[in-house]
Amino acid sequence: MAEKETKIAIDDNQQAAILFGTGDENFRYIQSICQADIFARGADVYIRGAEEDVNKAVDLLDSLLDFVANEAQLNINDINYVNNLLAKGDKAKHLEIVSGTIITTARGKNIKSKTLGQKKYIQAILRDDVVFGIGPAGTGKTYLAVVMAVRALRNKEAERIILVRPAVEAGEKLGFLPGDLIEKVNPYLRPLYDGLFDILGVDVTQRYMEKNIIEIAPLAYMRGRTLNDAFIILDEAQNTTPQQMKMFLTRLGFGSQAVITGDITQVDLPKDEYSGLIEIQKILGKVKGVSFEYLTKDDIVRHPLVQKIIDAYEVYETYEIAEKVNLPG
């Protein structure tokens, strides 16, 4: 195979410092994941090796510099994300992923997609009336659903937001819990509240709730309703039964949109119950106007350790299944 050597000159010293990282931590990690030899002289990066390996390293470094130019930061988790995108053939410019502020929070923070999976998820919500966001914890599926709901409210595309979550731990028998309806459901809707507080602020969120512009509802209380001109979010949908999922989806009225989020690897239903989120993929998979967007561990935007924890669980669970298959008798 032909040998090749090339140079990438980084003219911006600040960008070079971010790319290299504290104590050259990022640069050493880049060297460790590339097959080509990579070394630096000042702010110039030299790449030497087999032509294919050099081309891959150049693509990675170009993409990382694009990331740095847009985010003004870089860590090992970001490097892994960009590298995984390239390995899958997704050579998207980072600016294409983060382009366009979805909404500005009460504190002036601009909310944008952070990964290609998130970008596709947001585009699906803008396009279709029913969107399923399926993926592991930390991928932003619930938070982005809340962001898009607030956006629809601000743009007068919806008159109200309705937040729904199955209260599986209480078996949907909320009467056994103390307090009024809101107090009973609060523990199950906390992640949705956190998103609203972050985006709208506590005072605005509470005022909207008092006026029923934002409504909370346990899944069990949705039966018999028809919801018009609303943006409806069903969170933790992996904990719905097939009957509950059907009931929820048939509540959708004129001018309404629904986003259903869940993680099919974390079903808390009793063992004799089948998850409605798993079943619905088979039923609605080819229905026009319905989208299934699958976020993966590559879309995790929480602490870098979250991705490592998920990887560790996958290895452990695969080992456990193999052990059970090989058990005698």
Side-chain angles (χ1 to χ4, degrees):
M1 187 177 290
E3 291 285 313
K4 182 179 180 179
E5 181 174 330
T6 191
K7 180 182 82 169
I8 295 176
I10 308 173
D11 298 326
D12 188 311
N13 289 334
Q14 186 175 359
Q15 288 187 11
I18 295 170
L19 176 71
F20 280 77
T22 304
D24 290 343
E25 178 185 28
N26 289 343
F27 191 69
R28 286 198 300 272
Y29 185 72
I30 293 166
Q31 289 175 310
S32 73
I33 62 174
C34 289
Q35 297 298 315
D37 293 326
I38 303 175
F39 56 96
R41 290 177 186 154
D44 294 337
V45 178
Y46 294 84
I47 307 154
R48 180 190 301 145
E51 185 173 2
E52 184 180 350
D53 295 336
V54 169
N55 291 340
K56 287 180 179 178
V58 169
D59 283 345
L60 175 60
L61 285 163
D62 283 344
S63 296
L64 290 176
L65 286 168
D66 180 57
F67 187 101
V68 168
N70 287 288
E71 296 292 315
Q73 63 180 21
L74 186 72
N75 60 40
I76 288 174
N77 199 43
D78 298 326
I79 296 168
N80 278 328
Y81 171 67
V82 172
N83 193 43
N84 288 337
L85 272 186
L86 293 172
K88 293 175 182 177
D90 292 322
K91 194 180 177 181
K93 284 278 188 180
H94 189 65
L95 184 58
E96 295 170 5
I97 296 171
V98 301
S99 62
T101 297
I102 307 167
I103 205 169
T104 302
T105 69
R107 296 182 178 181
K109 178 185 177 184
N110 292 330
I111 304 296
K112 302 179 180 182
S113 55
K114 292 182 178 294
T115 71
L116 190 58
Q118 288 187 355
K119 183 75 170 183
K120 291 176 180 177
Y121 179 44
I122 291 164
Q123 289 172 336
I125 295 173
L126 290 170
R127 182 183 67 241
D128 296 318
D129 287 337
V130 177
V131 176
F132 291 83
I134 301 173
T139 52
K141 57 189 183 297
T142 299
Y143 184 79
L144 288 174
V146 175
V147 165
M148 296 302 287
V150 173
R151 178 187 180 278
L153 192 66
R154 286 185 179 175
N155 291 346
K156 302 188 184 303
E157 296 165 0
E159 293 182 0
R160 54 187 174 146
I161 297 171
I162 300 174
L163 310 175
V164 184
R165 213 177 192 215
V168 166
E169 294 84 350
E172 291 286 355
K173 298 176 182 178
L174 299 172
F176 290 106
L177 298 174
D180 61 18
L181 174 60
I182 292 178
E183 290 170 333
K184 293 174 192 289
V185 183
N186 262 342
Y188 307 103
L189 292 165
R190 195 77 252 168
L192 298 173
Y193 279 131
D194 290 343
L196 286 169
F197 291 159
D198 185 47
I199 299 160
L200 290 172
V202 175
D203 292 341
V204 174
T205 300
Q206 290 177 340
R207 188 164 68 248
Y208 280 0
M209 289 178 64
E210 289 168 3
K211 294 180 178 179
N212 280 329
I213 295 172
I214 294 176
E215 179 186 348
I216 60 169
L219 185 57
Y221 281 63
M222 295 292 288
R223 195 173 300 279
R225 300 183 63 183
T226 300
L227 306 170
N228 296 319
D229 301 313
F231 194 112
I232 313 152
I233 299 171
L234 172 59
D235 192 33
E236 296 290 335
Q238 75 274 8
N239 290 328
T240 63
T241 64
Q243 294 78 16
Q244 288 173 327
M245 179 63 77
K246 181 181 179 181
M247 179 271 292
F248 171 80
L249 291 171
T250 52
R251 300 308 94 201
L252 201 64
F254 290 107
S256 288
Q257 180 174 11
V259 177
I260 301 96
T261 66
D263 178 358
I264 56 176
T265 68
Q266 293 188 4
V267 177
D268 298 318
L269 291 168
K271 290 184 179 180
D272 58 342
E273 293 279 11
Y274 190 61
S275 170
L277 184 59
I278 294 175
E279 182 188 72
I280 202 67
Q281 297 172 75
K282 303 171 186 174
I283 298 171
L284 298 184
K286 296 182 180 179
V287 175
K288 192 174 182 179
V290 177
S291 287
F292 288 87
E293 295 299 323
Y294 296 92
L295 297 154
T296 71
K297 61 186 179 182
D298 294 333
D299 298 300
I300 291 172
V301 291
R302 287 183 184 172
H303 193 287
L305 271 176
V306 174
Q307 188 170 8
K308 293 180 181 179
I309 289 167
I310 290 174
D311 287 340
Y313 267 103
E314 286 181 355
V315 171
Y316 175 76
E317 287 164 2
T318 302
Y319 176 78
E320 284 288 293
I321 291 170
E323 285 288 295
K324 288 177 183 176
V325 169
N326 292 326
L327 283 176

